[in-house]
Amino acid sequence: MPHNDHRQEIFLTNLPSLVLEKILLYLSYDQIAQIRQVSRLFDFTCRSLLNQGFRAAERFHAKCLKEVRIKLPRRESARRSHRLARHCDILTAIETRISLLGITFLKYVDLDLCCFIPGRVIDEIFSVLKCIQEKENPPRGYEILQELRDISSMAMEYFDEKIVPTLNACLPISPLQYGSTGFSLDLQYQPSTSTPTGHQPRCLAALSEPTKSCSRSIVTDEDMKARSAKKLSKKSTAVINCLKKKANAYKGTVAAQNKKIVELDRRIDQQDEVIHHQNTRLAEQEEKLAEMGRSLSVIIGGGGVKRNAEEMKEERNKKGRFESDV
């Protein structure tokens, strides 16, 4: 009897979400960001993994920075000559870069409008941190951080210019957005069905006139409330417009500060290059000075030998003269 193998096909989309995440974590974050286009399930899973990856990079960076700062001396002058000074400088530069990325992306990530899109930035952060953790003498800051600064700056600029305008249209609507105070007064009255006065009982007929006066007073009170509500709404709209103007001004200042930070990072890189060149020149000058000192010592030593020989000759001449005189 032939044996029939009944094999059950298993698709990735049929796996539990936890298993699918474990499988996708074998890929790089750049690849995870690219396979979001496969399906909605992949998009949902990859978005979660990218957000978790950025948070993990933040935690790993905080751990590395804490370990380095514990080993550094407390005195600032002694820190500059310590062997971990370069590690601390690189980690501080990464901290500013992570904070800029958080300011750009996390506002929309927390609202679940998007995820941390640039997976390549996460890969680069992890690679730099691992390099710092493993090597005792890592490369200079402008060399090891050049790629991270370039790709993160391009990602932030593209996100602000191309993606943010589409996400602002999807922001949740606030009641303050349209100048309302969050509540409304319903002043619609329905006329009560009443029987004619001819068919009313005597007690109701006697009470009909006081009720009319009471209804008039109620209407006037409601009119006053409506007017006060309109005044409050006008004041609230004025306050909201003022707050919007301040918010726009703050956004402009934040954007300007971000640009200044990027420019300062570039200047720091340039200064690091200049310092590197100056250090190489100083090393060359020290070598030249050492060679000149050696040559001077040789010359001075040779002159002393010549002087000793001349003194010996003079003494011999004196002795010869004395013997001839005797």
Side-chain angles (χ1 to χ4, degrees):
M1 294 292 292
H3 181 68
N4 295 326
D5 292 336
H6 297 284
R7 296 181 180 178
Q8 185 179 1
E9 295 182 353
I10 299 174
F11 298 97
L12 287 176
T13 55
N14 296 331
L15 294 174
S17 60
L18 183 61
V19 177
L20 182 60
E21 288 181 359
K22 293 292 184 182
I23 293 171
L24 293 178
L25 283 175
Y26 285 96
L27 302 175
S28 65
Y29 285 101
D30 188 15
Q31 293 172 343
I32 290 172
Q34 292 176 5
I35 63 173
R36 286 178 55 206
Q37 303 176 359
V38 173
S39 64
R40 291 184 179 180
L41 177 62
F42 272 73
D43 182 34
F44 179 77
T45 307
C46 293
R47 287 175 67 172
S48 177
L49 290 176
L50 289 170
N51 294 335
Q52 293 174 12
F54 182 70
R55 300 294 186 185
E58 285 182 328
R59 292 192 296 269
F60 186 46
H61 168 265
K63 178 185 174 183
C64 296
L65 186 60
K66 184 178 179 181
E67 291 176 354
V68 170
R69 284 180 176 174
I70 288 171
K71 296 177 183 178
L72 286 173
R74 294 184 179 180
R75 186 174 293 178
E76 186 68 24
S77 60
R79 286 185 179 182
R80 303 307 304 172
S81 59
H82 197 267
R83 61 184 181 84
L84 296 177
R86 187 178 296 178
H87 296 73
C88 187
D89 293 338
I90 294 171
L91 290 171
T92 305
I94 295 173
E95 184 179 7
T96 57
R97 186 59 51 176
I98 289 175
S99 64
L100 287 174
L101 290 167
I103 291 170
T104 305
F105 288 95
L106 293 185
K107 172 186 175 182
Y108 302 95
V109 171
D110 294 336
L111 294 174
D112 200 16
L113 295 177
C114 70
C115 65
F116 190 82
I117 300 170
R120 187 179 173 187
V121 175
I122 303 174
D123 293 330
E124 188 65 24
I125 291 172
F126 275 113
S127 66
V128 173
L129 292 176
K130 289 177 182 178
C131 178
I132 293 171
Q133 196 176 29
E134 293 173 357
K135 294 183 179 180
E136 295 183 357
N137 189 14
R140 296 184 179 275
Y142 67 89
E143 295 176 357
I144 195 171
L145 296 175
Q146 187 66 39
E147 183 69 16
L148 177 60
R149 284 172 176 166
D150 289 341
I151 61 177
S152 60
S153 299
M154 289 189 293
M156 287 187 289
E157 290 176 2
Y158 183 81
F159 185 78
D160 288 332
E161 294 176 0
K162 303 294 182 181
I163 300 175
V164 169
T166 60
L167 295 178
N168 288 331
C170 301
L171 288 173
I173 298 173
S174 173
L176 299 176
Q177 188 173 359
Y178 297 102
S180 64
T181 57
F183 61 89
S184 61
L185 295 174
D186 190 3
L187 301 178
Q188 295 179 356
Y189 302 98
Q190 295 179 355
S192 61
T193 58
S194 60
T195 57
T197 56
H199 298 281
Q200 287 180 351
R202 291 181 180 179
C203 61
L204 294 176
L207 294 173
S208 61
E209 292 180 358
T211 53
K212 290 180 180 179
S213 61
C214 291
S215 64
R216 289 176 183 174
S217 64
I218 290 170
V219 171
T220 54
D221 291 338
E222 295 297 337
D223 290 336
M224 293 295 292
K225 289 180 180 179
R227 291 175 183 175
S228 63
K230 288 181 180 179
K231 291 180 181 179
L232 288 173
S233 65
K234 290 180 180 179
K235 290 180 180 179
S236 63
T237 52
V239 172
I240 290 164
N241 291 328
C242 182
L243 291 174
K244 285 181 179 179
K245 290 179 181 179
K246 289 182 180 180
N248 292 327
Y250 290 147
K251 286 180 182 179
T253 54
V254 168
Q257 291 295 329
N258 291 334
K259 291 180 180 178
K260 288 181 180 179
I261 289 169
V262 173
E263 184 64 26
L264 288 173
D265 288 338
R266 293 176 182 173
R267 290 183 181 179
I268 288 169
D269 293 338
Q270 293 176 357
Q271 292 295 326
D272 289 337
E273 291 179 357
V274 172
I275 290 168
H276 178 64
H277 291 307
Q278 292 294 332
N279 290 330
T280 53
R281 289 181 181 177
L282 285 173
E284 292 175 357
Q285 293 295 330
E286 288 177 355
E287 290 179 358
K288 290 180 180 179
L289 288 173
E291 290 178 358
M292 291 176 67
R294 291 170 187 171
S295 62
L296 287 172
S297 63
V298 170
I299 292 169
I300 291 169
V305 171
K306 290 180 180 179
R307 289 177 183 175
N308 291 328
E310 290 177 356
E311 288 177 358
M312 291 292 290
K313 287 180 179 180
E314 289 180 356
E315 288 179 357
R316 288 176 182 175
N317 293 328
K318 287 180 180 179
K319 286 181 180 180
R321 290 175 185 174
F322 179 76
E323 288 176 355
S324 63
D325 292 336
V326 172

